[in-house]
Amino acid sequence: MRFRIYKRKVVILTVVVVICGLAFWSSGRQKKNDGGSLPKDVEAARRSSISSSIGVSSSVSNRIQVPATPTFGRAPAPPPAAQANDTHEERAKVKEKIPRPEVDNNTLVYRGVVFQLNFDQTIRNEEKFKAARRKDDLVVVVQVHNRPDYLKLLVDSLRKSRGVESILLIFSHDYWSPEINKVVASVDFCQVLQIFFPFSVQLYPHEFPGHDPNDCPRDISKKDALNLGCINAEYPDSFGHYREAKFSQTKHHWWWKLHFVWDRVRVLEGHRGLVLLIEEDHYVAPDFIHLLKLMSALKREQFADCDVLSLGSYSHIGYSTKANKVEVKPWKSTEHNMGMALSRETYQKLIGCTDTFCTYDDYNWDWSLQHLTVSCLPSYWKVMVSEAPRVFHSGDCGMHHKKAACMPNSQKTKIENILQSSGNQLFPKNLLIAKRLPASGAGGVAPHLKNGGWGDIRDHELCKSYVRIQ
């Protein structure tokens, strides 16, 4: 009898302990969730990314891998030189004095999601357009920041383009935005891949490559910077200014994107076709794919040494008598940086100039390319460009435009009026060469000056590291 009572007490006590333990665990979990809940779009992307990678790697499918901040991502002031008799404890104390930026949980989650998506490389609409897309068909890469209204215009123009079902459309982002992701998700007319620049200001808001609180103010003198002891005091640009992260990011993104697309996107391994580079505030003509095919054929037949195909310049020239004409000339960053189509051979020459590109003191990627054409590349760039543009710049505000209000619909109306009035000039049957380089050739064009903004050695080293990152 006593044994039964004792046994009953033990069971009751065990149940009470388990219930209390569960209540305590649930309470602690709730507090944790309340303090660091994730944005819904990030959580959805994380779940989607994990589920899509089950067949790729079991170690990746179980959780999002958060990459450690790269060693080149931070350049703190060096500690005092260690003496021979320094103890391990003294060194540890010195190390603890170096300020470290705090990273909130959401930022770490964003980094993890970006890492996972870049690893998974899930292609949307792959099965839907598998028959339409052949090996080495055109790849269109869009560099995207945070202007969804302009991106909508670009997507709308792509939707109207003949033959668009055959392309692979890659969006390369440096900003995570539910609104932008919604625009990308609306693309139902071709295969789509999203990639994300993993060293953006958004992902590193309080440390390099973002703005570290210990960075030097832009306009401080080098003498005052050295006295202040800020991180990059030794590295102002050619004009004595210190880096601004928001301006440095675009050049970083452009170079990373170029390398990642050609050498890290698995579906493009061995790709021998063209890669067309455009941006979120561009607008394409309905026959841009048709024209690129004609230009590519003409290049093979008559201009094998042509490095770049360009869909046009910034001047909105009427199409009358121009729609089927191209010119072959030296490449200029101010005229031919929009709608550039590159081959793998051209890319490989560019990557061979990584050090020169990454150390040239100009925060503009296109002016840095201009410098390469006269300083590093085997020969100056030759470009075949359409006289009547098939790509238009719709952006009337952004990094280089200081308008109080953006008016994308106004720009759209202007461009569509040009295209509608020239509708019968589109889709030419063949191309005429309106201007070509003289037989003796013409020299390359050197940049008229450096624009600065790229003197920080941390930018140089991060930029050069992309070819080594797997």
Side-chain angles (χ1 to χ4, degrees):
M1 184 70 178
R2 288 181 179 178
F3 178 74
R4 288 180 182 175
I5 294 172
Y6 175 75
K7 186 177 181 181
R8 193 175 301 162
K9 287 181 178 179
V10 169
V11 170
I12 292 172
L13 182 60
T14 302
V15 171
V16 170
V17 170
V18 170
I19 291 173
C20 291
L22 286 172
F24 179 77
W25 178 79
S26 299
S27 173
R29 187 183 182 189
Q30 181 64 40
K31 287 179 181 179
K32 184 178 179 181
N33 287 340
D34 290 345
S37 60
L38 305 177
K40 291 181 180 179
D41 63 301
V42 176
E43 188 62 35
R46 183 167 68 167
R47 288 197 301 269
S48 173
S49 182
I50 292 175
S51 63
S52 68
S53 63
I54 290 176
V56 179
S57 169
S58 59
S59 64
V60 175
S61 65
N62 290 333
R63 61 183 175 86
I64 287 181
Q65 300 179 22
V66 180
T69 302
T71 55
F72 46 75
R74 176 105 172 121
Q83 301 297 322
N85 60 350
D86 277 352
T87 66
H88 178 75
E89 291 181 0
E90 289 173 338
R91 293 177 186 174
K93 288 179 181 178
V94 170
K95 191 173 182 180
E96 287 176 2
K97 291 180 182 179
I98 300 174
R100 298 171 183 270
E102 294 184 3
V103 182
D104 63 81
N105 288 337
N106 281 353
T107 299
L108 290 176
V109 170
Y110 276 120
R111 291 183 193 175
V113 171
V114 162
F115 175 83
Q116 190 72 53
L117 293 174
N118 284 346
F119 178 84
D120 292 342
Q121 299 179 18
T122 302
I123 298 177
R124 299 177 187 171
N125 307 325
E126 184 173 17
E127 289 301 318
K128 183 178 179 181
F129 297 102
K130 194 171 185 178
R133 178 169 175 78
R134 296 175 297 177
K135 180 176 171 56
D136 297 332
D137 273 351
L138 180 66
V139 177
V140 178
V141 182
V142 185
Q143 183 160 325
V144 185
H145 179 52
N146 189 25
R147 288 184 285 176
D149 289 339
Y150 289 102
L151 185 60
K152 289 176 186 175
L153 297 186
L154 172 61
V155 168
D156 184 52
S157 70
L158 287 165
R159 188 185 302 275
K160 298 173 183 175
S161 301
R162 186 186 298 177
V164 72
E165 66 278 357
S166 67
I167 73 170
L168 171 61
L169 181 58
I170 300 178
F171 293 94
S172 182
H173 305 265
D174 58 35
Y175 189 83
W176 180 279
S177 160
E179 190 174 2
I180 289 174
N181 288 338
K182 187 176 179 181
V183 176
V184 174
S186 73
V187 177
D188 57 2
F189 48 80
C190 67
Q191 295 182 358
V192 178
L193 172 64
Q194 283 181 279
I195 60 176
F196 293 83
F197 176 51
F199 302 101
S200 66
V201 174
Q202 186 189 36
L203 297 180
Y204 293 86
H206 305 303
E207 59 183 304
F208 180 85
H211 178 73
D212 193 301
N214 296 310
D215 280 347
C216 300
R218 177 187 183 273
D219 296 322
I220 194 173
S221 69
K222 184 174 182 179
K223 180 180 178 182
D224 290 341
L226 290 170
N227 290 334
L228 183 64
C230 43
I231 289 175
N232 50 333
E234 293 282 358
Y235 306 109
D237 68 10
S238 301
F239 302 95
H241 300 303
Y242 290 95
R243 80 183 296 268
E244 294 179 274
K246 63 181 179 180
F247 294 121
S248 302
Q249 176 172 266
T250 303
K251 180 174 175 177
H252 276 297
H253 184 181
W254 195 90
W255 195 247
W256 172 86
K257 167 197 71 181
L258 187 73
H259 170 67
F260 194 86
V261 167
W262 279 110
D263 282 344
R264 294 292 179 264
V265 174
R266 292 184 292 273
V267 74
L268 295 181
E269 185 177 356
H271 177 70
R272 307 304 299 179
L274 294 175
V275 170
L276 176 67
L277 306 177
I278 56 177
E279 298 179 16
E280 66 186 348
D281 60 350
H282 290 172
Y283 192 101
V284 296
D287 68 339
F288 85 95
I289 298 173
H290 171 80
L291 191 80
L292 270 178
K293 288 180 178 179
L294 293 181
M295 293 173 72
S296 185
L298 185 61
K299 175 184 179 301
R300 286 194 302 269
E301 295 168 4
Q302 299 188 39
F303 301 98
D305 62 343
C306 194
D307 302 284
V308 183
L309 304 180
S310 173
L311 288 176
S313 60
Y314 290 90
S315 57
H316 292 186
I317 302 172
Y319 278 51
S320 178
T321 73
K322 299 279 188 180
N324 66 336
K325 292 181 180 178
V326 295
E327 299 178 351
V328 178
K329 54 173 60 174
W331 184 85
K332 293 183 181 179
S333 65
T334 53
E335 296 179 18
H336 311 125
N337 64 353
M338 187 170 57
M340 292 168 45
L342 309 180
S343 65
R344 184 172 290 276
E345 289 73 22
T346 298
Y347 160 72
Q348 288 171 340
K349 291 176 184 177
L350 276 179
I351 285 299
C353 292
T354 291
D355 284 3
T356 306
F357 179 90
C358 291
T359 57
Y360 184 64
D361 187 14
D362 197 315
Y363 71 96
N364 296 290
W365 63 263
D366 47 356
W367 280 103
S368 299
L369 286 186
Q370 189 75 71
H371 174 66
L372 296 190
T373 64
V374 296
S375 64
C376 178
L377 292 170
S379 60
Y380 67 90
W381 262 6
K382 303 176 187 67
V383 59
M384 181 186 296
V385 56
S386 170
E387 284 198 346
R390 265 48 174 212
V391 61
F392 300 86
H393 186 242
S394 64
D396 56 352
C397 62
M399 186 166 70
H400 296 295
H401 303 274
K402 304 300 180 184
K403 284 191 176 183
C406 302
M407 297 181 290
N409 288 326
S410 174
Q411 293 295 106
K412 177 185 178 182
T413 300
K414 291 179 183 178
I415 296 168
E416 288 187 340
N417 286 340
I418 294 173
L419 293 173
Q420 288 173 6
S421 64
S422 309
N424 61 344
Q425 303 291 323
L426 298 175
F427 298 97
K429 293 182 178 180
N430 48 54
L431 297 179
L432 298 177
I433 303 167
K435 187 183 296 183
R436 67 172 74 204
L437 290 169
S440 58
V445 181
H448 65 289
L449 54 83
K450 294 179 181 179
N451 288 294
W454 195 265
D456 198 311
I457 193 172
R458 295 173 298 172
D459 285 317
H460 302 172
E461 294 306 310
L462 175 60
C463 177
K464 288 189 284 187
S465 76
Y466 300 144
V467 296
R468 300 190 300 269
I469 295 175
Q470 298 300 317

